[in-house]
Amino acid sequence: MTPYYQHGGITIYHGDCQTILPILDVVDLVVTDPPYGISYHSNHYVGDNPFEPIEGDDAFPNVVVQWCIKRAQSGTLVFLPIEALSLLPSAKSHIVWVKNNWTAGDLEHGYAHMWELAAFWPGPTHEFAIGRPVDVIESPRVAPTSLVHPTEKPVELIKKLLLHHKCEQVIDPYMGSGSTLRAAKDLGIPAIGIEINELYCRRTVHRLAQEVLL
């Protein structure tokens, strides 16, 4: 498998993670935000929606997530809808991301969610890096005018999550906008991203090329 991008400990593969994951030598820590299986396509923009529907968002990819849970040595942390929990083994922890703004949902009959859920399954070599972390994390969401992906997670949120765990490498099988890879690069952690949509591979490469100004 030829990488789409490889530089400074960061590797991107363009393709289906179900094909690419099994050929990776080691799966250490998985941190990912897969399609929720809700055919998400927001109409909550000023003007037209700038994003196409998310590829593969017709069903939650529980088979891929279960594969990661079984093989990730340090552990697997997945953002997911509450409904997906019934498709997966019981998680050791559930983390609440308080985003200080409401998220998508039923605008007519559902409460406006100010948080999102992530679940964590430790692997056989798991160790916390900074003691036992709390399961509520506050981090503002990405402003709609700054999004490069419709469900983009903020880099600062991912950094906080990565800093919880000792790991040699991070893998994100649903790379999307590249937040996990950007966070890993900033922290000096080797990382692999897999993305089926080539547009987001290009955008992530551009994002990785940007340097942080101190």
Side-chain angles (χ1 to χ4, degrees):
M1 175 64 68
T2 302
Y4 182 90
Y5 168 91
Q6 192 167 39
H7 180 73
I10 306 296
T11 303
I12 294 174
Y13 291 104
H14 170 224
D16 189 336
C17 64
Q18 293 189 73
T19 301
I20 297 170
L21 278 171
I23 67 174
L24 297 180
D25 292 333
V26 177
V27 179
D28 190 15
L29 178 66
V30 174
V31 177
T32 193
D33 179 26
Y36 279 16
I38 59 174
S39 299
Y40 173 69
H41 193 60
S42 175
N43 293 317
H44 224 52
Y45 288 95
V46 176
D48 294 333
N49 188 331
F51 302 108
E52 294 297 321
I54 299 170
E55 192 161 349
D57 194 24
D58 54 336
F60 182 79
N62 57 296
V63 172
V64 174
V65 174
Q66 291 195 51
W67 187 95
C68 293
I69 293 168
K70 291 178 181 178
R71 289 166 177 79
Q73 295 301 297
S74 291
T76 300
L77 192 149
V78 181
F79 288 91
L80 74 181
I82 292 174
E83 294 78 10
L85 291 174
S86 63
L87 303 174
L88 301 167
S90 296
K92 174 65 70 174
S93 300
H94 300 92
I95 301 99
V96 173
W97 166 37
V98 180
K99 57 200 299 186
N100 298 321
N101 209 318
W102 62 81
T103 188
D106 186 339
L107 303 182
E108 299 295 329
H109 308 293
Y111 281 75
H113 291 292
M114 301 290 284
W115 56 274
E116 288 191 36
L117 179 69
F120 179 66
W121 294 264
T125 67
H126 176 259
E127 292 183 64
F128 283 127
I130 51 174
R132 189 183 186 195
V134 298
D135 58 4
V136 176
I137 301 176
E138 292 196 39
S139 184
R141 71 171 187 171
V142 180
T145 53
S146 300
L147 290 171
V148 297
H149 185 281
T151 63
E152 182 177 347
K153 297 297 182 286
V155 172
E156 291 306 313
L157 167 67
I158 304 300
K159 283 184 184 179
K160 292 178 180 180
L161 292 170
L162 292 180
L163 286 170
H164 290 169
H165 309 281
K166 292 183 179 180
C167 67
E168 298 297 324
Q169 184 187 69
V170 178
I171 295 178
D172 186 348
Y174 295 96
M175 184 183 72
S177 66
S179 293
T180 299
L181 269 62
R182 180 72 244 193
K185 178 181 178 180
D186 291 350
L187 295 173
I189 304 172
I192 294 174
I194 306 170
E195 174 55 44
I196 198 168
N197 188 325
E198 199 266 339
L199 170 63
Y200 293 119
C201 291
R202 293 201 310 269
R203 290 181 175 177
T204 298
V205 170
H206 175 73
R207 190 176 196 181
L208 291 168
Q210 298 171 337
E211 296 301 327
V212 177
L213 298 178
L214 299 178

